[in-house]
Amino acid sequence: MVYVYATILTLFNLVFWVSILFGLPGTWLMILAAGATDWWLADNAMFGWPVLLTAIALATLGEILEFFLGAAGSRAAGGSRRAATLAIVGGIVGAIAGTAFPIPLLGTLIGASLGAFIGSLLGDLWAGRPIFHSVEAGRGAAAGRFWGTVAKMVVGAAIVVLLGAAAFL
């Protein structure tokens, strides 16, 4: 019966991994599901504290990478603080709006990158910066958001493998 729970948990973790593209806290949902499964199977717990703490450390790393790469892209291209802040907000709004794109899953990533671009552009224009400078900061924000999401997806994949391996061993 433990293998049935391990299979169900792994399938849920794959869904949570995909949810990262939509800006949802997929890595934390994986850890929550693993903890709930351990609690449910108190006598036959699948995970020990070392596995759960490793997963928490990885999830924290993923959050840090996503946040800083998204904001740093705008700042590295010379954007203002306002541009970096609006790039984060625009990335979230763009990810939500991007789910309507006809390209499954990638539409969300494209929407998030486009939203970060627009947010950074508007932030720099609002700060009184010239259009060409604002466009460059927007490009940096879009690239930062893209690579931040990719980095978090890689970290999420590592958590899926870690929890999957621990569940079946």
Side-chain angles (χ1 to χ4, degrees):
M1 192 69 177
V2 173
Y3 291 116
V4 172
Y5 290 124
T7 302
I8 292 170
L9 177 66
T10 302
L11 291 174
F12 269 103
N13 283 346
L14 288 171
V15 170
F16 295 148
W17 178 68
V18 171
S19 76
I20 294 170
L21 283 174
F22 298 100
L24 296 174
T27 54
W28 297 108
L29 293 173
M30 290 181 221
I31 294 166
L32 181 65
T37 303
D38 250 9
W39 176 77
W40 183 261
L41 302 172
D43 295 335
N44 299 328
M46 292 184 202
F47 312 104
W49 281 109
V51 171
L52 292 175
L53 291 175
T54 302
I56 289 170
L58 285 171
T60 303
L61 174 67
E63 294 295 331
I64 291 169
L65 287 172
E66 183 185 38
F67 180 79
F68 283 113
L69 287 174
S74 175
R75 295 288 290 166
S80 63
R81 282 188 182 174
R82 187 174 293 163
T85 302
L86 288 180
I88 293 168
V89 173
I92 293 168
V93 171
I96 294 167
T99 57
F101 286 153
I103 306 168
L105 301 179
L106 287 179
T108 304
L109 185 55
I110 292 168
S113 297
L114 185 61
F117 172 81
I118 292 170
S120 178
L121 175 71
L122 292 175
D124 261 356
L125 290 175
W126 186 10
R129 301 227 170 143
I131 186 77
F132 295 113
H133 185 276
S134 300
V135 168
E136 283 303 311
R139 288 179 61 206
R145 176 63 187 205
F146 174 82
W147 288 113
T149 302
V150 168
K152 190 172 180 182
M153 289 293 292
V154 169
V155 169
I159 294 172
V160 169
V161 169
L162 171 72
L163 294 177
F168 283 100
L169 293 180

